Amino acid sequence: MKFGYQTNTWGGVVGHPAGVTSIKDLFYLTPGSDEEALRDIASAGFTGVELFDGNLVAYRGREDEFRAFLRAGNLSLIAVYSGANFIYDDVLEDEFWRIEEAAKIGETFGAEFLVLGGGAKRHGGPREEDYTKLAQNLDRAAELAQRYGLTALYHPHLGTIVEGPEALEKVMSQSRIGLCPDTAHLAAGGNDVPALIRKYAPRIPYIHLKGLQREPLNFLPLDEDPEMTAIWEAVEEIGFDGWVTVELDAHPDPKAAAARSLRWLQARQAAQPTPAD
């Protein structure tokens, strides 16, 4: 396995304010320093990074600047994170314009994956057709991403119509897209995360690990989550050997939190039995 880190710990998670009146401009953003984030992630010992689409499209016209940040830390860009409502027909074309921009910039910097959140919650609650629309449009996004050499994956998330196991099954059974499980969001949504990893193993080429504190809800470094060991055992059981990215939306000391999570991962790897054992 290879280990990466999401840069959103260095500034948090916001959306571009222009998106309030212009759907096509509603990119995700981390308002911190990308250079600092990549430097700290490399210093902690990670070899890959994931960034929000809005952070990456900001480097249009100055691509060499971001490439220099990657080279300085000997880092690979693993994935671009984007998202959309996916259920409102009238805004789909603008949403797909934005997703295509994310795929284009991902191709520019050599990303492997386009990670997609979404499935809007209506004020009156989800309609059954919303799950079908979401599944169909995720497959459309996967086809779009493929044109730019990226593999698109669905990332279930709190605050969308896909939180619990029944909703996830509705979408996965009606789509072909792969899955990027975010362990904390899935656990908080009522899923048995180890069982889910085993169930969808053939559709999981990339994983987000995030520690969870259930009450009050908070996200943690991996070493603070008592449920993470069982999740990791499931990851090992399915023979996963791709990128694992640690995600932590906020922390008072992002660099130290990243280093702690990597030490936890390395300790799990060191404890894994060899074939001779």
Side-chain angles (χ1 to χ4, degrees):
M1 277 179 267
K2 298 174 289 186
F3 300 131
Y5 210 86
Q6 232 284 2
T7 64
N8 62 3
T9 322
W10 286 259
V13 183
V14 299
H16 197 293
V20 175
T21 53
S22 178
I23 290 291
K24 74 176 181 62
D25 297 312
L26 189 51
F27 292 99
Y28 280 104
L29 284 169
T30 291
S33 165
D34 298 321
E35 182 179 12
E36 178 187 359
L38 268 62
R39 184 175 62 243
D40 287 352
I41 288 166
S43 176
F46 290 91
T47 57
V49 290
E50 176 180 305
L51 278 80
F52 287 145
D53 51 3
N55 290 76
L56 286 170
V57 299
Y59 290 97
R60 287 197 198 103
R62 51 190 185 102
E63 291 84 358
D64 287 347
E65 182 180 343
F66 185 73
R67 290 191 183 101
F69 296 160
L70 291 174
R71 285 196 304 271
N74 196 26
L75 294 167
S76 299
L77 179 64
I78 308 164
V80 183
Y81 190 97
S82 188
N85 293 285
F86 286 121
I87 66 169
Y88 302 122
D89 294 339
D90 287 349
V91 299
L92 272 175
E93 296 313 308
D94 281 344
E95 291 188 324
F96 272 95
W97 178 89
R98 179 165 41 76
I99 290 168
E100 186 164 11
E101 291 300 298
K104 287 178 182 177
I105 201 70
E107 179 188 40
T108 296
F109 293 126
E112 296 183 37
F113 301 106
L114 176 64
V115 182
L116 297 166
K121 277 188 174 181
R122 300 176 189 269
H123 71 88
R127 304 170 186 171
E128 198 60 33
E129 63 265 26
D130 291 345
Y131 298 102
T132 300
K133 285 184 177 181
L134 174 58
Q136 292 172 343
N137 286 314
L138 287 171
D139 282 348
R140 175 182 168 184
E143 292 172 3
L144 183 157
Q146 193 171 31
R147 297 203 295 270
Y148 295 94
L150 278 70
T151 298
L153 305 171
Y154 183 51
H155 179 287
H157 203 286
L158 294 174
T160 72
I161 59 171
V162 181
E163 294 181 332
E166 291 184 6
L168 181 59
E169 175 59 23
K170 287 178 183 179
V171 173
M172 296 300 287
S173 65
Q174 296 182 78
S175 68
R176 301 181 304 280
I177 196 168
L179 178 67
C180 175
D182 179 305
T183 57
H185 281 273
L186 288 166
N191 296 273
D192 179 335
V193 178
L196 183 149
I197 289 170
R198 295 182 180 101
K199 176 179 179 178
Y200 292 110
R203 295 173 72 173
I204 300 176
Y206 179 44
I207 293 173
H208 278 189
L209 288 185
K210 181 188 291 181
L212 175 68
Q213 174 181 289
R214 291 182 178 272
E215 294 292 340
L217 180 67
N218 193 24
F219 299 128
L220 306 168
L222 303 186
D223 60 346
E224 292 186 39
D225 185 348
E227 300 177 36
M228 191 56 61
T229 297
I231 292 170
W232 184 254
E233 288 172 353
V235 171
E236 290 185 326
E237 184 180 313
I238 67 172
F240 186 83
D241 64 354
W243 280 104
V244 173
T245 285
V246 179
E247 190 180 7
L248 183 59
D249 294 353
H251 194 275
D253 190 340
K255 183 178 177 180
R260 284 169 50 193
S261 287
L262 184 59
R263 286 196 295 270
W264 188 92
L265 288 166
Q266 291 170 334
R268 302 286 85 69
Q269 276 200 316
Q272 187 175 8
T274 64
D277 295 335

